[in-house]
Amino acid sequence: MIIIDYKDTRPIYEQIVDKFQQLILRGIIQTDEQMPSVRMLAMELSINPNTIQKAYAELERQGFIYAVKGRGNFVAYSDKLLEGKKEEIRLKLQNIYQEAAEIGISREEFQGYLEDGRMS
Amino acid sequence: MIIIDYKDTRPIYEQIVDKFQQLILRGIIQTDEQMPSVRMLAMELSINPNTIQKAYAELERQGFIYAVKGRGNFVAYSDKLLEGKKEEIRLKLQNIYQEAAEIGISREEFQGYLEDGRMS
DNA sequence: TTGGTGTATTAAGGGTAATAGTACAGAAGG
DNA sequence: CCTTCTGTACTATTACCCTTAATACACCAA
């Protein structure tokens, strides 16, 4: 379900956060479904429980999951999460467009990248 | 010419690299023009010469400048640099589009972000 | 010769990521 | 009640990267 990419320069906990965001937003893990326990997932990925703990704390902070002491972590999906993610993507797109503009790429040329790329 | 943003989480040397890439790609500093000396720029920005040195080494590695011992660093612009930067932007755009697709955003919706944003 | 240039080296500090180990509290089931 | 699972909290340690600091050396030009 989760795979760590050690070639990725981002920290492990961040990769885990992103992966679970995807799984939740795409409905692969559904509302109120139980997340893997901190210790189980740590064992499975051969990393330290503290790292999972950090990822789960972040997911809870962002509203993706909720924790019940003694029972586990559960998915707390709502439409607001999807909207938040969309907004994040809008911002990233803006930043790239700005970066393109800064080196003299016109809006038309930029849009062209999206057209002829036909990105998978 | 160069301003360091201490609120930025990226390392200083990376900010300097990016800034000079822009200045060179936009033609504000032109081919064979002399770069500020390592020591001078360090003084001006109130940072350590080693940090500038690291930025210049990276710029040289990427082909943006060339160094002449005892004389200074000079701009080595060529069209290939602009093409390289465009390719980098294309890749970033692809990654974002893929991220959008992964949470169920259609190509049309994604293109819409570019239209109605009217990004400055 | 003097002063400015790039370059290399070593040492030290600070921050963050990750690991390791321990401890405590709550829930579930026998 | 007891055991075992769960989350949570805390400290210590290791490792890596960024940055500063202080030198030292080689090269070029005036």
Side-chain angles (χ1 to χ4, degrees), chain B residues 86-116:
Chain B
K86 282 188 182 180
E87 190 53 33
E88 185 187 308
I89 287 177
R90 275 198 202 91
L91 280 176
K92 282 193 190 175
L93 185 55
Q94 280 195 11
N95 286 334
I96 289 195
Y97 175 68
Q98 190 174 342
E99 193 178 337
E102 276 167 354
I103 62 170
I105 295 177
S106 68
R107 168 178 295 274
E108 289 69 28
E109 187 174 359
F110 187 74
Q111 282 174 328
Y113 292 171
L114 207 49
E115 309 284 336
D116 51 50

Side-chain angles (χ1 to χ4, degrees), chain B residues 35-108:
Chain B
M35 299 277 289
S37 87
V38 172
R39 289 177 180 81
M40 283 287 291
L41 187 55
M43 287 262 287
E44 192 181 320
L45 300 182
S46 300
I47 62 178
N48 194 281
N50 290 359
T51 305
I52 307 290
Q53 167 64 17
K54 186 166 186 178
Y56 279 13
E58 178 62 18
L59 283 167
E60 186 174 21
R61 196 191 65 78
Q62 294 179 1
F64 281 85
I65 63 177
Y66 61 93
V68 183
K69 249 187 178 178
R71 291 195 53 223
N73 284 280
F74 301 87
V75 175
Y77 175 79
S78 92
D79 286 339
K80 287 184 183 176
L81 293 176
L82 186 57
E83 278 314 310
K85 189 72 180 178
K86 282 188 182 180
E87 190 53 33
E88 185 187 308
I89 287 177
R90 275 198 202 91
L91 280 176
K92 282 193 190 175
L93 185 55
Q94 280 195 11
N95 286 334
I96 289 195
Y97 175 68
Q98 190 174 342
E99 193 178 337
E102 276 167 354
I103 62 170
I105 295 177
S106 68
R107 168 178 295 274
E108 289 69 28

